[in-house]
Each structure stands twice: as structure tokens, then as C-alpha cells.
Amino acid sequence: MKNFTYHRPATVAAALPLLDAEWGKTELLAGGTDLLDRQKEYVSQPDKVVSLTGIGGAFKQIAAAGDAVTIGAGVKLADIAESKELAAFPALTGAAGEIAGPQIRNMGTLGGSLCQRNRCWYFRDEHVPCLLKGGKKCFALDGENEYHAVFTQGHPCVIVHPSTLAPPLIALGATAEVVGPKGTRTVPLEKLFQAPAKETQREHTLAPNEVLVAVKIPAKEPPRNASYEVKQRETSEWPLVQAAVAFRPFVKVARDVRVVLGHVAPTPLVSEAAAKALEGKEVTDATATAAGEAAAAGAKPLSGNGYKVALVKTVVKRAALLAAGARPYWEG
Ligand SMILES: Cc1cc2nc3c(=O)[nH]c(=O)nc-3n(C[C@H](O)[C@H](O)[C@H](O)COP(=O)(O)OP(=O)(O)OC[C@H]3O[C@@H](n4cnc5c(N)ncnc54)[C@H](O)[C@@H]3O)c2cc1C
Ligand code: SF4
């Protein structure tokens, strides 16, 4: 690991002047479960690390107030999974409880989960100079790409966004609170993410001198919601594909439907087509199947990941049925 200076400010305000206007020189450290790996592998080589672990108060709390629940960016994944304040949001708590294993969930934070870097094996190999590390080509396009994107249109870099908390939070209409040199700004969570295409871009839209401080979920009459993911093995693994579904029940039908796909595109993907397939209808096996078909339409898989298209159909169907309160028949 390259030597670096270490700073541990006690407030967000004290952290800001320590940050740089360009990516690469300085990194924020939360639980370290992603950043330290990258440093040890020489994928990230900052000169300065600014730890957020000394910041207390709201940064590390989950608070229900008024019509919203606010989760500080420093809250641990394990605390999200077990939170009473978040009991109305099983899509989120369930997804948090599925992440990695207990060790990672007790170190990793909300901010780190949303801002973690992608898992592409070419990106994580210090010797591979791919597009996202200043090189000229994406090695996954004609290389080993079974875990990469299937919605690839217009993307020179075909990573999948790695956060399993992002799809449920987007489905629940969450917003991000971001603090930087110009003050505080609030961003709809889906706008916090972007498809990076070069070294100077990240998987999120934060500036290098900004800090994500909290995520706020509207909590007035919470929608029905669920998340469902398929993994290769039960623990210590990112999902192959994930879907989060939220809707408001109105008499017998679903209103304000939101369907968000995870691990299939460089950003979490809002599926308008899947939402349309459920909007104004009763959520049944037939309509949930139709939503899955609609979600998968338009996928353009790579040479090694066509199998993910079938999984998209399955996860959308199952997340919709779970959100509707159906018994998970697939568990036997
Ligand atoms: C075996 C394994 C399996 C995993 N499976 C999953 C999974 O299924 N789903 C999933 O979502 N994740 C998974 N993860 C990733 C895990 O969730 C992340 O490593 C963790 O959430 C990162 O949090 P952290 O606090 O440790 O972040 P850190 O490693 O400290 O930081 C990660 C990045 O986020 C930035 N950052 C952190 N906090 C902030 C902030 N407040 N503002 C701005 N930038 C910030 C840092 O600068 C850094 O670049 C897995 C990890 C492992 C090791
Ligand atoms: S998918 Fe992105 S990170 Fe992976 S090799 Fe291609 S350009 Fe690099």
C-alpha cells in the first residue's frame, strides 16, 4: 500500500477543507471495507485519507421525524438491517441484511455502500489499464463479462452498479443530502448515480470535495415494498440480479408503482416499462410475470451474461409478489 497522510476530523465542516477538487489524491474513509481493499491492491493510491469515523451525531443515527426517516451516511449496514425506525421498508432492511456477511455489515456504512466502486475484475486488477483507469479500451466488452451489464446500450464501460441498497432506496423515493464547499444540496437518489466512462468520473455524481451526509425516505403512508435478489451463493457475494418494487395499494390495484433493477446496468435502473405493466392492476402471478417480461425487454447482454435476462424476469416477478404480500411459493 502506498503511504498516505491520515486525518480524522470530528465534524463534516472540518472534513470539507481537507478534500481536493480532483479525484485521486484524497479519499474519504468510512468503514474501509471497499477503500482499504483498493489501496492494498494499488487500484486506488491516495496521498491523503480523510476518515469519517470521528463524526458523530446525526451522521451515525437513524431518525424518524415528521413525514420522513433520515439515515445518516455513517450508519452501519447491520443497523439498517435491524432498525425499528425502518420497519415499514422491508425492501431496504431486507437488502441490507443480505449484504456480504456479519463482519462487512458491522463495518460497512450506508455512505460507503452507495459510493463503493464497481467490482469489475479488470478494474480491480492494478495491471489492467482499462478505460476507467485512463486506458483506451474496455476489456470486458470482448473478455470475461458474465457479471457485467445486460443493459449496455450507450455505455463504453459495462460495469454494474454494485450497491444493493440503491435500488430499494430509489424505489422508495429517497433523496440524498450532500454537503460541499457551496453548502448543502438535496438530490433525488436516482440522480446520485451515473455511468462512468473515464478515469475522472465515479459511479456517483458527488464532486470530489463533497460528502454524502444522509439519505431521507418519505415515510407518510409508506408504500408496500420488497426487494428480491439472486446470488450465486448465500453469503459474501454481490447479487447477480436484483429488483426492488414499491407501490400503493388502492382498493385492489397497485398505484404509483416503482420498479428498480440492480446489478444489470452501470447505474441502478428505473424500469418504467415494468412499472407500467403493474400500474392500475391487481398484483397477481400474471401481472407480476408481465412486469418481469417488460423489465427484460430491451436488454442487450454481452457474450457471457445472457443468463441474466431470464433472472431479470424472475426477480421482478418475485419482488412484485412479495411487495403484494404473496407467500413466496419458490421457497417450497
Ligand atoms: C465479500 C463482500 C460482499 C459484498 N456484498 C455486497 C452486496 O451484496 N451488496 C452491496 O451493496 N455491497 C456489498 N459489498 C460491499 C459493501 O457493502 C461495501 O464494501 C460497504 O458498504 C462499503 O462501506 P464502507 O463504509 O466500508 O466504505 P469505505 O470502504 O470506507 O468507502 C467506500 C467508498 O465510498 C466513499 N465514501 C464512503 N462514505 C462516503 C460518504 N459519506 N460520502 C462520500 N463518499 C463516501 C469512500 O471514499 C470510498 O471510495 C460486499 C463487500 C464484500 C467485501
Ligand atoms: S467494464 Fe469498465 S471497469 Fe471493467 S474493463 Fe470495462 S471499462 Fe474497465
Side-chain angles (χ1 to χ4, degrees):
M1 184 187 281
K2 195 182 100 176
N3 283 346
F4 55 86
T5 59
Y6 180 73
H7 304 257
R8 191 168 182 261
T11 61
V12 174
L16 292 180
L18 296 167
L19 303 180
D20 279 303
E22 280 171 33
W23 288 115
K25 292 185 189 151
T26 303
E27 288 274 357
L28 288 169
L29 173 79
T33 58
D34 170 37
L35 176 64
L36 293 182
D37 265 8
R38 279 191 271 124
Q39 286 186 264
K40 283 190 248 176
E41 288 156 13
Y42 293 93
V43 173
S44 298
Q45 301 192 49
D47 301 319
K48 192 198 292 174
V49 170
V50 179
S51 170
L52 299 170
T53 56
I55 301 171
F59 191 73
K60 286 189 178 153
Q61 288 165 3
I62 302 175
D67 288 343
V69 182
T70 303
I71 315 171
V75 171
K76 305 273 183 195
L77 303 173
D79 294 330
I80 293 175
E82 287 156 22
S83 165
K84 286 197 186 74
E85 289 85 355
L86 295 170
F89 308 113
L92 176 64
T93 55
E98 290 283 328
I99 291 177
Q103 293 91 339
I104 298 291
R105 292 199 291 274
N106 279 300
M107 285 303 292
T109 62
L110 172 65
S113 171
L114 297 177
C115 299
Q116 63 181 297
R117 300 230 57 193
N118 73 83
R119 304 302 308 181
C120 171
W121 36 41
Y122 298 111
F123 178 77
R124 296 262 164 181
D125 184 334
E126 63 164 309
H127 302 293
V128 181
C130 80
L131 203 60
L132 222 49
K133 291 187 291 185
K136 290 204 166 26
K137 71 175 265 194
C138 168
F139 290 85
L141 277 177
D142 52 7
E144 299 287 337
N145 51 35
E146 51 263 47
Y147 300 131
H148 288 73
V150 289
F151 291 92
T152 50
Q153 295 91 328
H155 297 308
C157 160
V158 289
I159 55 164
V160 293
H161 195 278
S163 176
T164 13
L165 297 191
L169 284 168
I170 292 170
L172 292 167
T175 52
E177 201 174 300
V178 176
V179 176
K182 292 184 191 150
T184 302
R185 62 189 180 101
T186 301
V187 192
L189 205 74
E190 58 202 85
K191 298 242 179 325
L192 190 71
F193 304 104
Q194 66 178 355
K198 51 187 176 183
E199 195 176 14
T200 50
Q201 292 177 330
R202 291 292 180 267
E203 293 80 353
H204 55 71
T205 54
L206 296 178
N209 52 9
E210 288 185 316
V211 181
L212 171 67
V213 292
V215 169
K216 192 178 273 197
I217 309 174
K220 192 178 174 195
E221 295 169 26
R224 285 178 172 271
N225 61 93
S227 172
Y228 187 84
E229 60 193 53
V230 173
K231 287 180 175 179
Q232 210 159 24
R233 53 181 183 183
E234 281 294 306
T235 188
S236 298
E237 197 65 276
W238 280 258
L240 298 168
V241 177
Q242 173 198 17
V245 173
F247 66 84
R248 290 179 199 289
F250 179 77
V251 192
K252 283 183 93 178
V253 304
R255 294 271 190 231
D256 302 332
V257 183
R258 302 266 290 166
V259 178
V260 187
L261 309 177
H263 309 271
V264 292
T267 62
L269 202 64
V270 177
S271 176
E272 305 283 354
K276 206 168 154 205
L278 290 173
E279 186 71 37
K281 303 195 179 108
E282 190 175 352
V283 180
T284 61
D285 198 78
T287 56
T289 301
E293 294 286 340
K300 203 167 169 230
L302 302 166
S303 56
N305 67 3
Y307 72 95
K308 279 195 175 192
V309 178
L311 291 183
V312 168
K313 298 178 188 176
T314 302
V315 294
V316 169
K317 175 181 176 180
R318 291 185 180 182
L321 289 173
L322 285 174
R327 193 181 64 81
Y329 62 85
W330 52 91
E331 285 177 5

